[in-house]
Every structure is written in structure tokens, then in C-alpha cells.
Amino acid sequence: MKKSFVVFLLMLALLLSLSSCIRIGGAGDWTFDLPGGYTVMRANNLCIEVIKDRTTVIEGYIEAFCFGKTHVGVKRIPFDYLDQRHEDIDHVPTAYPDTEREYYLLDTASGTVYGPYTAEEFTARCEELTVTDLCDWISTDGWPDGAHD
């Protein structure tokens, strides 16, 4: 009985460690509420994502986000970039090529996600959709003002 319980715990730990984003709270993990019931969630050192109703909407390492009444902007580094270039790290490096950043625009009213874009394409898409009320970019490095655990 005791041995099977230990094996169960080890298998559970292995399963969780293989998950791309473990949703178990830890030191420094936080959430930030956005319009339309969306949330930016820091799940661990390498996973900061946009979720709604416990479903991932935009995954990866979100470096920064901004929002207005009905839209959310996201600046992120995709998981595949981190996996290919930064093995065995426990945090995202502070220096990486600007070309590896991806930008997304989320319409919180319809649930539509536009992107990925370059910075210029993101700005053009915002202009095209007349999204003019986005706040300044909010960095996810540390604990953003307005975040909670």
C-alpha cells in the first residue's frame, strides 16, 4: 500500500513536470483581470498566458500586455522559441531578438484573436480596427500593479 502510494506520487509529479504550463500556485504567481472575463495568469517562470474560463486563449511567455474597454494587446515570446534556444533555463532571458516577439490583439467582445503580428503590423491592425483606447504596455516582469494571487 505504502509503495503504491509513493509510485502514484512520483507518477503525478512526472506528469505535472511534463505539462507546458503547470497551474499550481507558487511564489510570485499572480493573475490580472482583463475586460470580458479574460485574465493574464503567471503560472510559473516560463508561462504567462491569457485565459478565460480556465481555457488558454494565448499561450507562451507574455512579456507585456495592454488593454482598453473591449480589446487586449499582448506581446509574447512563443514556447517553441524558448524550447529551441534556451534549454535548461528557469527564466526567460532578458536579451532576445526583437524579431522573436509576437504581438496579438484580442477582441474581448467577440473572442477573436488577431495575430501573430510584428510590432508594426500590430499597430496597423489597431488603426484598421480603430482600437484607440489601449493603455500603456504593462510589463509582466515582477508583480504588475493591479495583479492579485
Side-chain angles (χ1 to χ4, degrees):
M1 176 73 175
K2 195 175 204 179
K3 185 176 180 178
S4 62
F5 182 71
V6 171
V7 170
F8 170 76
L9 287 178
L10 289 173
M11 294 300 288
L12 182 62
L14 177 63
L15 177 66
L16 290 175
S17 70
L18 295 176
S19 175
S20 65
C21 276
I22 302 170
R23 288 184 172 84
I24 296 175
D29 295 347
W30 49 261
T31 59
F32 190 103
D33 297 329
L34 297 169
Y38 291 86
T39 302
V40 175
M41 182 183 74
R42 181 187 185 275
N44 61 44
N45 291 351
L46 292 174
C47 182
I48 302 174
E49 59 189 5
V50 175
I51 63 170
K52 182 174 184 178
D53 300 327
R54 300 181 65 149
T55 301
T56 300
V57 178
I58 302 173
E59 70 175 4
Y61 179 85
I62 295 177
E63 177 186 33
F65 62 96
C66 57
F67 62 94
K69 187 174 180 179
T70 60
H71 289 83
V72 175
V74 171
K75 185 189 321 184
R76 77 166 197 154
I77 305 170
F79 282 133
D80 59 349
Y81 174 77
L82 295 173
D83 291 342
Q84 292 170 12
R85 293 171 178 81
H86 302 289
E87 296 177 10
D88 302 323
I89 63 168
D90 63 356
H91 66 283
V92 174
T94 55
Y96 50 86
D98 287 343
T99 56
E100 297 299 334
R101 287 183 176 99
E102 295 178 342
Y103 293 78
Y104 290 83
L105 183 64
L106 167 62
D107 181 334
T108 62
S110 69
T112 304
V113 177
Y114 301 98
Y117 297 123
T118 64
E120 295 78 19
E121 292 168 336
F122 175 80
T123 301
R125 187 62 165 169
C126 288
E127 290 171 0
E128 177 185 327
L129 296 173
T130 61
V131 177
T132 59
D133 66 340
L134 295 177
C135 66
D136 292 335
W137 289 105
I138 300 169
S139 173
T140 60
D141 186 25
W143 193 286
D145 288 340
H148 54 88
D149 54 6

